[in-house]
Amino acid sequence: MSLIEWRPDDRQLHLTNGRLSLILAVHEDGSLGPVHLGAPLATGRAYGHLVPRGWTGFSNRLAEPIALEVPTPGSGDYRVPALEVVQADGASVLQLRYREHRIRAGKPSLDGLPSTYVEADDEAETVEIDLADEPSGVVVTVAWTIFRDRAVLARSIRIRNDGRAAVRLETAMSLSLDLPDAAWTLVHLAGAWARERHVVERALVPGRQSISSVRGSSSAAHNPFIGLRREWTTEAAGEALGAALAYSGNFLAEVEVEAYGTARLRMGINPETFAWTLEPGAAFQTPEAVVVWTADGLGAMSDAFHSVFRERLARGVWRDRARPILVNNWEGTYFDFDEERLVAIATVARDLGIELFVLDDGWFGRRDDDTTSLGDWFVDRRKLPNGIDGLSRRIAELGLGFGIWIEPEMVSERSELFAAHPDWAFQVPGRPRTEGRQQLVLDLGRPEVVDHLAGVLGDLLASGPISYVKWDMNRWLTEPWSGALPADRQGEALHRHILGVYELYRRLTTRFPDVLFESCASGGDRFDAGMLAFAPQAWTSDDTDAIERLRIQWGSSLAYPQSSMGAHVSAVPNHQTGRVTPLATRAAVAFFGAFGYELDTAALSADDQAAIRDQVAFFKAHRGLFQFGRFVRLRSPFAGDGNETAWMVVAADRRRAIVAVYRVLNRPNPRVDRLPLRGLDETLDYRITAWPPGLDGVSATNEITRRGDDLQANGLLFDVERHVSPEIGDFSARLFVLEAG
Ligand code: DGJ
């Protein structure tokens, strides 16, 4: 069945897959606009009545809230524009009029940019609509893709200069969506280093409300995801609209509520730090925005993002594969290690059942602290006399995979690379360079820098049995000026840099298809859909404290699947918070992700080793469910006083599930508590077992066989905790494994 209908008489395009409808209409003046995004509507009908007619009291009335697909400034639409093109005469007025469209099966890829994809043409349909401004020769191609079996759309635009003079793009949004009302609550993910992606909600008010980055990375301050929900929308029911940008640099996501109470949502490269010259014949492709609409609550919105990101954004052999349990030496040793110490950590890890050893920062140049050597990607033989080759072979002989940390985009002033190529770092000649973590950023907009890095890093990855790469990025950009660009094109520097980052990723992931890449940026400073297209998992946060992770992982789950979240058990007192949490709690949080340990295994007590051996065995028994099951949020750490969090994962066939219940502070004589579950098969009987074992009162109440309907209606029972409270303590976690008999 066709997913896109064109009605020539009504000049209307209708994209629908039975889950949602997007209807675009060519208005009387030839402009194009959305008239409906939401519930699936019948095809074979005209929806022109949904176009606001305006008040007829005056002719040529300006500022009527007509929905526009690519709004431009200066000709009567006073809302935020999606496209600003300065032409040879200095004007930025355009009249974009429908010219033609093409409907095709499947989904084309985007030039140089990450995007969702299909594996077979019948998975999706794409319409490309050309809008042209005759006087300037500017042609905008709007591309909308609708997926057949997902509540997902993808949208980007391409701007081509068919005129005779150069033009300059000053705004080029990936998405612009005019909504007929503004009765929405904005949901977004805000934070900082070590407390990334906390959920923030605010009702829309008249005016502009935006989130953005100007830091050169999508950033931990704001994530390139934005959600809208109705006041009454819950996790399980109600309308929700989400948009995520597949882009890792400066972005803007904004909603403007205008005078008549309509809302315009726009999302794309941040215009504040962007300009792009288009010579005659040249074209510019924006990044892709992924849009989800559902009437079934925020949970269903997340389901749609998770499945499309996991299955049709992430690529490569690791996309669907269970991820190895790793041990990373960073928090265990920081820069202070040698080969014997690393092998000792790996040896104990192997005995505990861990599968991959990851060597973090400090193995190259003369890097004993963070003041030197970035860019010098050759081994420090003082620490590793047998090289990466020798170490990785010893690790392989232990039966473990070997992974290595790199930070390709960076250079230390104290490095051989900087001495040889000082001009490769971002800087403005004649001005001081702003350092961050004593390092500078290489200008990857210069092809020779990408070539150099692809060469040296390619040699490194080919030098031994390396099966995993942690690709870090530890500072924001400053002095965004490129020696490779003329003065009037400096506005292109940051976007060209990101394109260079993607090109380097593309080359290395193509050359090493079996290597698992994990992206990282001081933890979660670049946790976005752009990175996910190259690295199927990302280091979620440098904050490994289990209690802090509840909020971080919950917030991240709004858009990103748990398989994308690197999650490690670390030592206590925790290095970020000083908090001492039980080992079982640390594991019970980290299980819901790309699981691993980040501590000195050789320093563990015998008891802790035994506990970790059990954790690893338990995780292996349920790994597929933890990483790829449907993630259902039950109790929010952002609600009330945040003392309790609960979530669960459910297998695709609903025959297995694992429920996690976390409590920050224990309280004496607590209230009666029941936790209704979701996503189960109401007709199945589930055998329930608790992990970790112990807490007999709690287990006895819940470790019985119960039917799905009962578990969803009445939930797990924690009434008994009133009596066993002292056994539980602060920072508790319990998992319940549900298995259909
Ligand atoms: C920041 C990362 O997030 C850490 O995990 C670690 O790799 C350090 N960088 C190393 O410098």
Side-chain angles (χ1 to χ4, degrees):
M1 196 197 73
S2 163
L3 301 174
I4 303 181
E5 175 194 54
W6 165 245
R7 291 172 63 83
D9 293 345
D10 306 307
R11 301 214 294 174
Q12 171 189 293
L13 283 158
H14 186 164
L15 292 74
T16 187
N17 55 9
R19 295 163 194 259
L20 58 79
S21 276
L22 169 68
I23 302 174
L24 307 173
V26 180
H27 299 315
E28 273 168 28
D29 67 355
S31 61
L32 182 75
V35 297
H36 171 85
L37 171 61
L41 299 179
T43 52
R45 303 179 73 100
Y47 292 95
H49 55 275
L50 295 174
V51 179
R53 289 278 164 249
W55 184 48
T56 51
F58 299 114
S59 55
N60 289 334
R61 186 182 165 90
L62 296 174
E64 284 294 348
I66 300 285
L68 291 168
E69 187 64 17
V70 185
T72 53
S75 48
D77 181 77
Y78 294 99
R79 294 165 287 180
V80 287
L83 181 69
E84 288 184 276
V85 183
V86 181
Q87 298 140 58
D89 59 4
S92 51
V93 171
L94 293 177
Q95 271 96 28
L96 292 171
R97 300 293 176 248
Y98 170 86
R99 181 184 274 175
E100 60 181 9
H101 72 270
R102 298 163 293 281
I103 296 173
R104 54 152 100 173
K107 181 174 190 295
S109 57
L110 304 190
D111 254 7
L113 283 162
S115 61
T116 54
Y117 59 91
V118 292
E119 289 195 329
D121 269 355
D122 63 358
E123 287 180 19
E125 265 175 40
T126 299
V127 59
E128 293 175 337
I129 311 146
D130 290 343
L131 307 176
D133 176 66
E134 297 301 337
S136 66
V138 169
V139 179
V140 178
T141 302
V142 178
W144 275 107
T145 295
I146 181 164
F147 286 84
R148 185 175 300 280
D149 298 319
R150 306 167 194 275
V152 177
L153 299 159
R155 202 257 201 192
S156 67
I157 68 171
R158 192 176 168 82
I159 304 111
R160 202 175 68 231
N161 181 3
D162 282 355
R164 278 202 287 271
V167 298
R168 195 173 68 249
L169 306 182
E170 295 198 335
T171 300
M173 288 288 127
S174 300
L175 175 69
S176 179
L177 208 51
D178 282 348
L179 303 169
D181 74 84
W184 296 96
T185 295
L186 180 62
V187 185
H188 59 101
L189 304 172
W193 175 79
R195 51 181 171 79
E196 295 90 340
R197 291 175 298 288
H198 285 203
V199 178
V200 177
E201 298 197 318
R202 42 182 163 147
L204 292 182
V205 293
R208 293 161 65 167
Q209 32 251 290
S210 66
I211 56 168
S212 63
S213 171
V214 291
R215 295 158 199 262
S217 61
S218 50
S219 97
H222 294 290
N223 190 266
F225 156 80
I226 199 168
L228 292 174
R229 66 165 178 83
R230 299 297 185 184
E231 195 189 336
W232 52 88
T233 299
T234 64
E235 282 290 334
E239 210 179 348
L241 173 65
L245 191 68
Y247 191 61
S248 311
N250 292 346
F251 77 95
L252 169 73
E254 180 166 51
V255 183
E256 180 180 13
V257 178
E258 54 75 79
Y260 298 92
T262 70
R264 172 170 292 165
L265 188 164
R266 64 175 188 160
M267 186 177 227
I269 297 174
N270 194 340
E272 236 176 88
T273 53
F274 167 83
W276 194 276
T277 299
L278 275 186
E279 296 294 341
F284 180 83
Q285 172 66 56
T286 71
E288 173 170 298
V290 180
V291 178
V292 168
W293 180 90
T294 176
D296 299 327
L298 289 171
M301 177 196 74
S302 300
D303 289 342
F305 276 119
H306 290 189
S307 70
V308 75
F309 285 175
R310 209 173 45 215
E311 296 161 8
R312 291 296 180 267
L313 176 66
R315 285 169 172 72
V317 297
W318 284 102
R319 187 188 73 179
D320 308 322
R321 237 189 238 173
R323 310 291 160 70
I325 304 173
L326 63 80
V327 62
N328 176 306
N329 73 307
W330 178 241
E331 286 198 13
T333 68
Y334 294 106
F335 295 102
D336 181 20
F337 59 81
D338 59 19
E339 183 171 316
E340 293 316 313
R341 189 163 181 210
L342 299 179
V343 171
I345 291 173
T347 306
V348 177
R350 188 268 320 266
D351 294 343
L352 300 177
I354 291 170
E355 298 156 327
L356 170 72
F357 172 82
V358 178
L359 172 57
D360 210 280
D361 193 355
W363 59 265
F364 51 91
R366 293 182 79 81
R367 190 155 162 97
D368 296 328
D369 55 33
D370 60 13
T371 62
T372 74
S373 302
L374 292 167
D376 296 346
W377 300 114
F378 44 82
V379 73
D380 181 351
R381 292 206 181 254
R382 296 170 310 157
K383 294 180 185 175
L384 303 175
N386 301 305
I388 291 299
D389 179 28
L391 173 65
S392 59
R393 279 179 212 291
R394 277 183 81 182
I395 301 289
E397 278 159 22
L398 289 173
L400 293 178
F402 179 80
I404 196 162
W405 178 99
I406 53 176
E407 195 177 0
E409 297 144 71
M410 297 295 157
V411 64
S412 305
E413 217 170 77
R414 288 170 56 202
S415 67
E416 292 182 18
L417 182 67
F418 187 73
H421 298 286
D423 53 325
W424 282 6
F426 274 117
Q427 57 197 308
V428 182
R431 293 188 182 275
R433 291 183 289 263
T434 308
E435 289 205 346
R437 206 195 188 198
Q438 287 92 225
Q439 63 197 54
L440 302 169
V441 184
L442 293 170
D443 175 6
L444 269 69
R446 302 174 79 122
E448 67 272 29
V449 178
V450 175
D451 289 345
H452 166 81
L453 291 170
V456 292
L457 294 169
D459 290 348
L460 168 69
L461 300 189
S463 72
I466 295 174
S467 58
Y468 163 105
V469 167
K470 177 178 174 186
W471 180 318
D472 207 346
M473 190 281 193
N474 282 309
R475 63 154 289 182
W476 295 316
L477 271 81
T478 52
E479 289 82 41
W481 187 93
S482 172
L485 293 172
D488 61 348
R489 298 190 75 147
Q490 290 298 327
E492 300 175 19
L494 287 176
H495 182 59
R496 286 187 184 278
H497 172 71
I498 291 291
L499 292 177
V501 173
Y502 290 147
E503 172 61 13
L504 186 58
Y505 253 113
R506 193 190 58 73
R507 287 200 212 170
L508 291 175
T509 51
T510 307
R511 180 166 167 202
F512 300 97
D514 295 325
V515 170
L516 171 60
F517 282 76
E518 176 161 325
S519 77
C520 174
S522 300
D525 201 68
R526 205 161 62 178
F527 199 105
D528 56 58
M531 280 293 127
L532 262 185
F534 298 98
Q537 59 189 58
W539 183 221
T540 312
S541 174
D542 273 349
D543 198 333
T544 53
D545 176 86
I547 299 304
E548 295 300 314
R549 276 293 184 122
L550 294 174
R551 283 187 291 251
I552 295 168
Q553 292 177 206
W554 176 287
S556 304
S557 81
L558 249 58
Y560 306 101
Q562 65 275 23
S563 59
S564 70
M565 295 184 212
H568 300 171
V569 172
S570 60
V572 290
N574 180 269
H575 293 196
Q576 290 76 37
T577 60
R579 193 175 282 140
V580 178
T581 54
L583 184 52
T585 299
R586 283 172 268 155
V589 177
F591 282 156
F592 292 85
F595 177 62
Y597 291 82
E598 181 148 345
L599 38 71
D600 182 355
T601 50
L604 288 167
S605 68
D607 282 355
D608 282 355
Q609 285 197 19
I612 289 178
R613 198 172 285 114
D614 286 349
Q615 292 173 359
V616 166
F618 177 76
F619 182 76
K620 284 180 180 169
H622 302 289
R623 173 166 23 199
L625 182 53
F626 277 126
Q627 294 185 338
F628 297 99
R630 176 179 172 215
F631 190 79
V632 180
R633 292 180 295 265
L634 298 173
R635 202 169 266 181
S636 170
F638 297 101
D641 64 1
N643 202 47
E644 287 161 16
T645 299
W647 57 49
M648 63 191 283
V649 283
V650 189
D653 64 5
R654 296 189 294 167
R655 298 189 64 81
R656 287 185 312 133
I658 299 177
V659 183
V661 183
Y662 309 97
R663 179 167 301 160
V664 180
L665 296 182
N666 194 20
R667 292 187 173 140
N669 198 13
R671 67 188 158 89
V672 171
D673 191 15
R674 294 178 172 204
L675 179 70
L677 307 183
R678 291 206 313 278
L680 300 175
D681 183 331
E682 297 187 346
T683 66
L684 288 178
D685 275 324
Y686 293 93
R687 193 165 50 81
I688 306 174
T689 49
W691 186 95
L695 289 179
D696 288 338
V698 180
S699 304
T701 314
N702 288 298
E703 285 199 29
I704 54 175
T705 295
R706 292 176 60 192
R707 220 172 106 104
D709 55 359
D710 173 23
L711 284 165
Q712 303 211 132
N714 295 311
L716 294 174
L717 312 173
F718 300 111
D719 312 11
V720 68
E721 292 193 3
R722 296 208 303 289
H723 311 297
V724 297
S725 186
E727 285 176 50
I728 294 174
D730 290 341
F731 314 128
S732 70
R734 255 140 329 123
L735 305 184
F736 298 91
V737 179
L738 280 54
E739 283 161 308

